[in-house]
């Protein structure tokens, strides 16, 4: 899944290789999109179906959202590629502060 | 490599968005910004969750009275699909195909505009049918701030794409314009990331109760 520049010295070989790489990447992205649509449908059906209690549905749809966001970040936003160490640091720092913020607001107001 | 150097399909680098120092800096700086955006939206989500259904009297609409599955589902599909079309645009950018990139960005803009249209309808519906307004309750304020901020991001993203497409329509792709398109598409994906949490936390959890 790397998308680095190649320097084999032979442009034809390079282009062939790149074409294969980007076709492969596109395949991963299509699979990601199919998974995202599927997870969205499951979440909507779980909420629309009356047989589940909120104690099951809410954690379940939150997990589905988390998985879907991983697809978006790693395949659509290319975080699975090399050279994304700093972006990952920035994003996860943001997620860490986000988690503390949510925890603080919800414990202050609810208890 | 100079930023305004002319390229062909053969000489176009595999990662054009990071070939120049400016491109690299843009990429890094933009991800730092997205980390900050994550915190911004977290504060709005936290406020919404804390104030959800906080209304002054029992006659006012709660989350479960307001939200309906079909509208949210259509909006989700529109935004999710627009995320895929901007992936297509970047695929063509990497293959040095400016026309196809512009075409798919155009499709992305149309899908985003349709999403915004539905959101305007939705807000209008809540205000007129349920008297659920920005100032009617703490719930209303938290709801419109969170969802409205996201809608504002969508509107900004649309203007950003349109500006890039119009401004560079004759210049085409080079190492100066490629990072601009790339960063705008990252922003667009991030908007979809936020929407995934909005449709889950605000709408679906709101309908559960």
């Amino acid at each position: 899944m790397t998308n680095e520049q190649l320097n084999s010295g032979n442009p034809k070989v390079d282009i062939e290789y790149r074409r294969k790489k980007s076709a492969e990447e596109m395949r991963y992205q299509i699979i990601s999109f199919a998974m995202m649509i599927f997870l969205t449908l499951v979440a909507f059906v779980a909420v629309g179906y009356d047989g589940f209690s909120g104690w099951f549905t809410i954690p379940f749809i939150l997990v589905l959202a988390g998985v879907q966001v991983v697809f978006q970040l790693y395949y659509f936003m290319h975080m699975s590629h090399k050279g994304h160490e700093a972006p990952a640091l920035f994003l996860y720092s943001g997620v860490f502060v986000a988690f503390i913020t949510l925890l603080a607001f919800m414990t202050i107001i609810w208890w | 490599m100079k930023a305004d150097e002319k390229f062909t399909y053969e000489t176009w680098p595999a990662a054009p968005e990071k070939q120049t120092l400016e491109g690299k800096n843009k990429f890094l700086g933009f991800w730092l910004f997205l980390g900050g955006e994550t915190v911004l939206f977290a504060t709005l989500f936290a406020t919404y969750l804390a104030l959800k259904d906080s209304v002054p009297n029992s006659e006012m609409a709660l989350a479960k009275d307001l939200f309906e599955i079909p509208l949210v589902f259509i909006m989700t599909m529109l935004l999710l699909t627009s995320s895929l079309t901007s992936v297509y645009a970047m695929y063509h950018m990497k293959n040095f195909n400016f026309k196809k990139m512009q075409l798919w960005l155009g499709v992305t803009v149309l899908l985003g505009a349709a999403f915004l249209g539905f959101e305007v309808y939705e807000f209008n519906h809540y205000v007129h049918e349920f008297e659920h307004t920005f100032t009617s309750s703490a719930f209303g304020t938290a709801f419109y701030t969170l969802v409205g901020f996201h809608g504002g991001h969508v509107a900004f993203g649309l203007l950003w794409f349109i500006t890039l497409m119009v401004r560079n329509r004759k210049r085409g792709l080079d190492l100066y314009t490629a990072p601009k398109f790339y960063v705008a598409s990252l922003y667009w994906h991030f908007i979809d990331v936020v929407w995934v949490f909005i449709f889950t936390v605000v709408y679906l959890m709101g309908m559960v109760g």
Side-chain angles (χ1 to χ4, degrees), chain B residues 143-169:
Chain B
F143 170 80
Y144 287 113
T145 308
L146 171 60
V147 182
F149 238 89
H150 175 268
H153 276 71
V154 174
F156 185 83
L158 290 178
L159 288 178
W160 190 354
F161 273 142
I162 293 168
T163 309
L164 284 180
M165 287 166 67
V166 171
R167 190 183 165 213
N168 297 309
R169 71 195 181 284

Side-chain angles (χ1 to χ4, degrees), chain A residues 44-82:
Chain A
F44 274 86
V45 168
V47 170
Y49 178 65
D50 287 333
F52 301 135
S53 86
W55 290 104
F56 166 75
T57 312
I58 288 174
F60 180 62
I61 60 177
L62 285 174
V63 169
L64 293 183
V67 175
Q68 182 169 340
V69 161
V70 167
F71 276 112
Q72 182 87 238
L73 288 170
Y74 280 84
Y75 292 102
F76 279 18
M77 295 171 81
H78 317 291
M79 265 176 71
S80 61
H81 286 182
K82 268 188 193 164

Side-chain angles (χ1 to χ4, degrees), chain A residues 77-96:
Chain A
M77 295 171 81
H78 317 291
M79 265 176 71
S80 61
H81 286 182
K82 268 188 193 164
H84 280 73
E85 295 77 13
L89 172 72
F90 295 155
L91 189 78
Y92 285 116
S93 307
V95 169
F96 175 67

Side-chain angles (χ1 to χ4, degrees), chain B residues 120-158:
Chain B
V120 169
Y121 163 79
E122 182 202 0
F123 284 5
N124 185 56
H125 178 70
Y126 295 156
V127 168
H128 291 105
E129 300 292 318
F130 294 93
E131 291 181 25
H132 177 69
T133 69
F134 193 78
T135 52
S136 65
S137 63
F139 170 46
T141 310
F143 170 80
Y144 287 113
T145 308
L146 171 60
V147 182
F149 238 89
H150 175 268
H153 276 71
V154 174
F156 185 83
L158 290 178

Side-chain angles (χ1 to χ4, degrees), chain A residues 1 6 11 17 21 26-27 29 31 40 58-59 63 67 89 92 100-101 103 109:
Chain A
M1 289 297 291
L6 262 190
Y17 179 77
K21 275 283 165 198
M26 183 46 80
R27 202 170 64 235
Q29 286 170 329
I31 294 169
T40 304
I58 288 174
V63 169
V67 175
L89 172 72
Y92 285 116
I100 303 219
T101 309
L103 189 71
I109 312 268

Side-chain angles (χ1 to χ4, degrees), chain A residues 3-5 15 18-19 22-23 26 29-30 33 36-37 40-41 43-44 47-48 54 57-58 61-62 65-66 68-69 72-73 76-79 81-84 86-87 90-91 94-95 97-98 101-102 105-106 109-110, chain B residues 1 9-10 12-15 18-19 27-28 31-32 34-35 38-39 42-43 45-47 49-50 69 72-73 76-77 80-81 83-84 87-88 91 94-95 182 186 189-190 192-193 196-197 199-201 204-205 207-208:
Chain A
N3 205 358
E4 305 281 288
Q5 179 155 33
I15 284 177
R18 265 175 56 193
R19 195 173 283 160
S22 53
M26 183 46 80
Q29 286 170 329
I30 297 284
F33 181 68
M36 283 151 70
I37 294 279
T40 304
L41 285 173
F44 274 86
V47 170
T57 312
I58 288 174
I61 60 177
L62 285 174
Q68 182 169 340
V69 161
Q72 182 87 238
L73 288 170
F76 279 18
M77 295 171 81
H78 317 291
M79 265 176 71
H81 286 182
K82 268 188 193 164
H84 280 73
F90 295 155
L91 189 78
V95 169
V97 178
T101 309
L102 281 161
F105 272 53
M106 288 165 74
I109 312 268
W110 283 355
Chain B
M1 266 185 252
Y9 176 65
E10 281 73 25
W12 187 238
K18 281 188 280 187
Q19 279 301 303
F27 172 80
L28 198 63
W31 274 99
L32 181 61
L34 289 184
T38 307
V39 176
T43 61
F45 271 107
T47 312
L49 283 170
I69 284 187
V72 186
F73 185 73
T76 302
M77 287 299 143
L80 201 58
T81 309
S83 207
L84 181 74
V87 161
Y88 284 159
Y91 172 82
K94 295 210 169 184
N95 285 337
Y182 185 85
L186 276 184
H189 292 309
F190 185 78
D192 198 44
V193 166
V196 169
F197 286 114
F199 88 68
T200 303
V201 172
L204 293 183
M205 278 168 62
M207 283 185 264
V208 170

